[in-house]
Amino acid sequence: MIHDCIQVTNHYNYTNTPLFHTSPSVEMVSASPTAPKDDYAEEPSSKGAAIKHSKWWYSAFHNVTAMVGAGVLSLPYAMAYLGWGPGTFVMVLSWCITLYTLWQMVELHESVPGTRFDRYHELGQYAFGPKLGLWIVLPQQLIVQIGCDIVYIVTGGKCLKKFFEIACSNCTRLRQSYWICIFGSIQFFLSQLPNLKSVAFVSLAAAIMSLSYSTISWVACLSRGPVPNVSYAYKKTSPADSMFRAFNALGEISFAYAGHGVVLEIQATIPSTPEKPSKIPMWKGAVVAYFITAVCYFPTALVGYWTFGQDVEDNLLLALRRPDWLIAAANLMVVIHVIGSYQVYAMPVFDMIEMVLVKKFKLPPGITLRLIARSAYVAFTLFIGVTFPFFGDLLGFFGGFAFAPNSYFLPCIIWLAIKKPRRFSLSWIVNWACIFMGLFIMFASTIGGFRNIVMDASTYQFYS
């Protein structure tokens, strides 16, 4: 059914495809294969031309918004199960691998002259064929987007609860599930905006907020110093539990490097000419974004673990208490950030749902369809988030099951399929090394995350 609904061939000219369609249901259904136009042909539509004016800094802040998310707050918790040496090594290795795979995607965006692969699944179809490529890439993308939204629902509710408890210590305490529902209600309203362009200001604010609350987190930890009797030994649990928790920690780290699912969509908004292809400003923005990512991730992980040791919580901000006003502000920044990030990952899913409803079920596009379809999606993610609000376990499970393939090794497989580097060359060796590393992280963290969700759910009072 997916293949019937999305008609994509190797001969589409994507030079002026917008980031997300204003009316995705109509435009995608009416798409049909056409012969490629001249390289870098100009789109006569004013809408397409207007959207194609993005600069390198657009790439920077959208990549920061997509990547630096709530996962940064769990990095000290991952360090507690991996330890100083292995934890630091995995973080540095993940940063290097994902920067390399991001570079591959930027390069592959215009690997065919005159054609721009503006969606991850389009690139997969070119590499593996129309049907196989779609089934390899699209389910992974959907899991990434839906998984992110579930985690952001949980994160937004927990941080909103923490903010109000600090800001109004004498107020009546509400259940955590209520706060998650309050946060979810915000998404019901924002989801009715037509496309990502409508929430661009929220995306910019989210990028600023992510840098701000990450900085506040590690600065607050640094200022307070280690807690009394801090211990950096591994958590005292059974050998089996320690192994599964360590596997889950790998998934938490891979979840933190989660921006690859929207890289091509971001690059699609940047103009391209033979003299200055889009990969030049896109890569410039990506490098800036990865520098900001390092500034956010490494101090937060290392200083947070240094402060709390093995007793650190899975959300660093929840462990901090003083100063009250600063911790409250940081939690509010997280809320603002995940409000925007939820929409960044939800908009492509909205496009998919509406397109399927129009093409397969012959429903008329319009406000009514948008209201019902998008509200149903938000309600689904809200239900899962309220039912299983295990922040660290969710990060580990989704980090391994979906984010590791998208960010660690799928770009390498596509690179090998398209570029075909000589066997045992440096490029061939590096790509296969990334593939094996990514596969290990995927299987280990998926098993660890799922097992931990089951274990924690057995002792958790639901909807508390």
Side-chain angles (χ1 to χ4, degrees):
M1 184 180 72
I2 296 178
H3 179 256
D4 294 336
C5 294
I6 304 179
Q7 301 176 12
V8 179
T9 72
N10 298 346
H11 302 293
Y12 276 1
N13 183 290
Y14 295 107
T15 304
N16 289 285
T17 304
L19 179 57
F20 297 109
H21 301 289
T22 303
S23 301
S25 305
V26 177
E27 293 186 46
M28 293 187 74
V29 170
S30 62
S32 58
T34 59
K37 303 175 186 177
D38 293 338
D39 290 1
Y40 311 97
E42 290 297 328
E43 169 70 44
S45 167
S46 60
K47 179 182 71 173
I51 296 177
K52 284 291 181 180
H53 291 163
S54 301
K55 306 297 183 182
W56 70 266
W57 50 264
Y58 182 95
S59 161
F61 80 73
H62 268 297
N63 273 295
V64 170
T65 301
M67 187 169 301
V68 182
V72 65
L73 300 175
S74 74
L75 292 177
Y77 185 72
M79 293 286 295
Y81 284 102
L82 295 175
W84 281 114
T88 305
F89 173 76
V90 172
M91 283 195 58
V92 173
L93 184 64
S94 294
W95 190 89
C96 295
I97 290 176
T98 55
L99 179 60
Y100 171 67
T101 55
L102 190 147
W103 170 80
Q104 288 181 312
M105 296 189 69
V106 171
E107 290 289 319
L108 291 171
H109 179 76
E110 295 175 288
S111 55
V112 177
T115 300
R116 299 182 68 173
F117 299 108
D118 290 350
R119 303 289 186 275
Y120 207 151
H121 66 79
E122 294 169 5
L123 184 60
Q125 286 179 297
Y126 178 74
F128 308 119
K131 290 186 178 181
L132 181 60
L134 198 65
W135 283 106
I136 289 176
V137 176
L138 191 60
Q140 289 290 335
Q141 266 196 298
L142 288 175
I143 293 170
V144 166
Q145 290 154 354
I146 296 171
C148 262
D149 284 341
I150 292 172
V151 171
Y152 289 155
I153 282 276
V154 174
T155 307
K158 285 188 173 183
C159 290
L160 197 60
K161 177 177 182 286
K162 181 73 172 180
F163 169 76
F164 275 96
E165 288 179 350
I166 296 175
C168 186
S169 57
N170 297 324
C171 296
T172 303
R173 300 296 177 92
L174 296 178
R175 293 182 179 183
Q176 176 177 277
S177 56
Y178 291 171
W179 286 110
I180 295 176
C181 289
I182 292 172
F183 178 83
S185 65
I186 299 173
Q187 301 301 338
F188 278 105
F189 290 101
L190 286 179
S191 66
Q192 299 309 311
L193 294 172
N195 50 42
L196 191 62
K197 187 180 179 183
S198 305
V199 292
F201 68 95
V202 180
S203 181
L204 177 58
I208 297 172
M209 292 298 103
S210 60
L211 179 60
S212 300
Y213 70 69
S214 299
T215 304
I216 290 174
S217 299
W218 69 264
V219 169
C221 289
L222 189 65
S223 63
R224 70 161 295 166
V227 298
N229 301 318
V230 63
S231 173
Y232 303 113
Y234 291 109
K235 286 179 177 288
K236 296 179 180 180
T237 59
S238 66
D241 187 65
S242 296
M243 180 185 68
F244 284 116
R245 298 287 175 179
F247 286 170
N248 189 72
L250 295 176
E252 292 172 8
I253 292 176
S254 64
F255 188 98
Y257 296 95
H260 291 56
V262 292
V263 167
L264 297 180
E265 285 86 345
I266 295 172
Q267 189 169 352
T269 67
I270 299 177
S272 186
T273 64
E275 295 76 23
K276 189 176 181 181
S278 63
K279 65 182 182 182
I280 296 176
M282 179 65 187
W283 178 240
K284 181 179 179 181
V287 170
V288 171
Y290 254 72
F291 173 78
I292 296 174
T293 299
V295 170
C296 292
Y297 284 9
F298 290 99
T300 302
L302 300 178
V303 177
Y305 181 51
W306 171 75
T307 301
F308 294 101
Q310 66 174 216
D311 296 323
V312 66
E313 297 189 39
D314 62 358
N315 185 331
L316 182 60
L317 283 180
L318 300 182
L320 294 170
R321 299 289 186 270
R322 296 286 186 274
D324 289 345
W325 66 270
L326 188 62
I327 305 307
N331 277 278
L332 185 60
M333 290 175 183
V334 176
V335 173
I336 296 173
H337 175 251
V338 295
I339 286 174
S341 296
Y342 184 99
Q343 292 300 318
V344 168
Y345 285 99
M347 283 294 176
V349 184
F350 294 156
D351 286 359
M352 173 70 67
I353 294 173
E354 293 172 17
M355 180 266 297
V356 171
L357 291 176
V358 170
K359 184 172 178 63
K360 297 298 291 185
F361 296 97
K362 311 301 181 183
L363 297 179
I367 296 177
T368 302
L369 178 67
R370 180 191 302 169
L371 178 64
I372 296 174
R374 298 187 179 193
S375 297
Y377 172 80
V378 175
F380 169 75
T381 57
L382 178 59
F383 171 75
I384 300 297
V386 171
T387 306
F388 302 102
F390 312 124
F391 179 70
D393 297 343
L394 288 173
L395 290 184
F397 177 75
F398 285 119
F401 190 58
F403 289 78
N406 264 329
S407 300
Y408 284 74
F409 64 86
L410 190 53
C412 296
I413 296 175
I414 295 175
W415 184 273
L416 291 173
I418 295 177
K419 296 295 185 178
K420 296 179 172 57
R422 181 173 51 85
R423 179 173 293 189
F424 301 117
S425 65
L426 180 60
S427 174
W428 188 89
I429 293 172
V430 169
N431 279 287
W432 275 108
C434 293
I435 291 170
F436 284 121
M437 176 65 68
L439 285 171
F440 172 76
I441 293 176
M442 181 186 71
F443 287 115
S445 55
T446 300
I447 295 171
F450 181 75
R451 181 262 184 187
N452 293 340
I453 290 175
V454 173
M455 293 295 293
D456 292 343
S458 64
T459 58
Y460 176 74
Q461 184 179 354
F462 288 95
Y463 308 112
S464 59

